[in-house]
């Protein structure tokens, strides 16, 4: 099979403003593509067009081999969209939510109940199946939302910011479920504002900036463009900053207000050991030292030449 999602020169305007401006995308079947971008970049617009919920103004797109404009009903049979807003009904139990969705998809009562049972099991919700959804944690609710997308076994799943607002543990639970469905052959296009999420889940990342692709590649390719990970050292007094800078090298960035110095590293753990012992031998009192991934703002700055916050709608 070729591309599960393919878009060429997509355009969409709202009033006089372009939300998508010649947007291209190609997602091989069975892989995860992460659409990364700040607020207003056009992520939801792209996903809604591909899921046939929004009409395109120009260009063309195919999903699961069908044209989104001319063969929308065939596309709809192959896709599911998990939007930024939850579809979970709080008053119903997890099981009742899934049965209701099954009925909406025209399953018989019996089929809907069997499918609900299978999905509760697959998404690790069997124990909570008969609790009302209002008592679910954020991660359980998101998993129930995901489970509801799988009622009709879509071949392509669109996830619009699947973990926004979740704490780290709940995010991890959702990531695990996404990895599981991908392992079973589903193609996933997910939007996110978080580099670490795209990094965890995506085979390929497309960086969207004001409706256009600003960069794309594997997570490693994008990070190496930025010089990889960074080491960050926080000290107690500003007098120590020049010493730390001396240890981290001439390209280190100094944040005098935060008593913080950071620099790009390529050899992660070895760098951490080297820097720690060099600082100790200079008698520097370290408040904190850590390795961290570049932030989305740093990715944006490096790729587009402007900060993500400067392109907000
Ligand atoms: N229905 C609409 N009517 C008018 N303008 C819209 C509509 N939907 C989106 N836009 C505009 O299109 C642009 C792209 O919006 P979109 O929702 O696709 O961005 P996004 O990347 O999903 O942002 P977020 O991270 O906030 O969800 C924004 O400037 C937005 O204001
Ligand atoms: Mg959005």
């Amino acid at each position: 099979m070729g591309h599960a999602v393919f878009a060429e020169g997509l355009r969409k305007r709202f009033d006089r403003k372009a939300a998508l401006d010649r947007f291209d995308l190609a997602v091989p079947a069975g892989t995860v593509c992460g659409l990364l971008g700040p607020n207003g970049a056009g992520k939801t617009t792209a996903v809604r067009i591909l899921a046939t919920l929004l009409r395109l103004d120009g260009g063309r797109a195919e999903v699961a081999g069908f044209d989104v404009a001319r063969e929308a009903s065939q596309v709809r049979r192959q896709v599911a969209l998990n939007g930024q807003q939850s579809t979970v009904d709080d008053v119903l139990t997890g099981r009742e939510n899934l049965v209701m969705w099954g009925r909406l998809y025209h399953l018989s009562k019996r089929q809907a109940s069997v499918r609900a049972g299978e999905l509760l099991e697959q998404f690790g919700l069997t124990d909570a199946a008969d609790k009302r959804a209002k008592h679910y944690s954020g991660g359980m609710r998101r998993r129930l939302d995901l489970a509801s997308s799988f009622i009709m076994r879509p071949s392509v799943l669109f996830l619009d910011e699947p973990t926004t607002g979740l704490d780290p543990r709940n995010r991890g639970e959702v990531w695990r479920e996404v990895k599981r469905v991908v392992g079973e052959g589903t193609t996933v296009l997910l939007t996110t504002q978080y580099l670490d999420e795209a990094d965890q889940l995506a085979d390929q990342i497309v960086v969207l900036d004001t409706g256009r692709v600003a960069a794309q590649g594997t997570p490693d390719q994008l990070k190496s463009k930025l010089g990889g990970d960074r080491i960050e050292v926080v000290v107690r007094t500003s007098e120590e900053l020049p010493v730390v800078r001396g240890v981290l090298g001439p390209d280190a960035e100094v944040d005098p207000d935060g008593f913080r110095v950071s620099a790009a590293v390529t050899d992660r753990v070895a760098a951490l050991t080297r820097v720690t012992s060099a600082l100790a031998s200079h008698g520097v009192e370290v408040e904190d030292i850590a390795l961290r991934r570049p932030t989305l703002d740093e990715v944006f700055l490096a790729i587009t030449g402007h900060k993500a916050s400067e392109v907000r709608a």
Side-chain angles (χ1 to χ4, degrees):
M1 213 177 142
H3 290 123
V5 182
F6 180 80
E8 195 173 53
L10 283 195
R11 291 168 193 265
K12 180 70 191 177
R13 295 187 149 273
F14 289 111
D15 308 319
R16 314 205 59 188
K17 195 169 169 291
L20 286 181
D21 180 15
R22 283 163 285 168
F23 171 69
D24 299 323
L25 185 71
V27 185
T31 68
V32 182
C33 175
L35 203 53
L36 186 69
N39 292 125
K43 303 182 297 296
T44 299
T45 303
V47 162
R48 288 176 60 83
I49 287 176
L50 294 167
T52 75
L53 297 179
L54 201 62
R55 208 189 296 269
L56 49 78
D57 295 339
R60 69 183 187 97
E62 278 182 11
V63 174
F66 298 105
D67 187 286
V68 296
R70 287 182 288 103
E71 300 169 304
S73 62
Q74 285 96 321
V75 171
R76 267 177 227 142
R77 258 176 246 137
Q78 300 284 331
V79 307
L81 168 66
N82 229 273
Q84 267 173 290
Q85 249 101 49
S86 167
T87 55
V88 169
D89 188 333
D90 267 340
V91 189
L92 301 181
T93 66
R95 189 188 305 280
E96 288 165 347
N97 265 283
L98 292 175
V99 169
M100 176 191 76
W101 279 100
R103 298 291 281 158
L104 288 174
Y105 284 112
H106 307 298
L107 297 184
S108 71
K109 264 192 187 151
R110 179 165 161 69
Q111 286 171 322
S113 148
V114 170
R115 190 72 186 122
E118 289 168 359
L119 290 167
L120 288 164
E121 178 80 42
Q122 283 166 18
F123 286 84
L125 291 166
T126 304
D127 288 348
D130 300 308
K131 266 205 265 181
R132 283 175 199 246
K134 70 172 162 209
H135 301 306
Y136 280 20
S137 69
M140 286 161 75
R141 168 185 288 275
R142 213 61 183 119
R143 267 147 59 206
L144 183 60
D145 237 340
L146 271 179
S148 72
S149 308
F150 275 85
I151 288 180
M152 300 313 281
R153 301 184 170 83
S155 63
V156 179
L157 176 63
F158 298 109
L159 296 174
D160 198 3
E161 301 199 16
T163 66
T164 297
L166 294 185
D167 65 28
R169 207 187 100 224
N170 285 323
R171 291 178 81 200
E173 284 181 12
V174 172
W175 289 351
R176 201 169 60 228
E177 293 308 324
V178 173
K179 286 177 186 166
R180 189 178 61 72
V181 302
V182 172
E184 290 172 359
T186 313
T187 306
V188 174
L189 176 63
L190 70 93
T191 77
T192 182
Q193 299 191 34
Y194 308 123
L195 181 67
D196 65 335
E197 178 154 293
D199 197 14
Q200 274 283 328
L201 295 175
D203 299 296
Q204 177 202 183
I205 295 177
V206 171
V207 181
L208 198 59
D209 180 27
T210 53
R212 288 183 109 157
V213 176
Q216 59 184 312
T218 64
D220 281 345
Q221 284 168 342
L222 287 184
K223 274 183 278 168
S224 63
K225 268 194 189 173
L226 304 172
D229 295 317
R230 298 186 74 83
I231 192 164
E232 198 167 75
V233 178
V234 181
V235 288
R236 302 225 167 112
T237 63
S238 55
E239 289 81 67
E240 291 174 310
L241 290 173
V243 186
V244 181
R245 188 184 184 158
V247 169
L248 290 188
D251 293 331
E253 270 172 42
V254 180
D255 162 17
D257 301 325
F259 298 156
R260 188 185 307 265
V261 187
S262 73
V265 292
T266 48
D267 53 354
R268 289 183 59 83
V269 179
L272 195 56
T273 319
R274 191 176 65 241
V275 169
T276 310
S277 64
L279 291 174
S281 72
H282 284 88
V284 174
E285 267 199 83
V286 175
E287 174 82 25
D288 194 16
I289 180 164
L291 285 168
R292 64 170 177 80
R293 306 269 174 207
T295 63
L296 179 56
D297 263 333
E298 286 163 342
V299 174
F300 250 79
L301 191 59
I303 288 172
T304 66
H306 59 81
K307 287 196 170 139
S309 52
E310 289 167 4
V311 300
R312 274 180 195 165

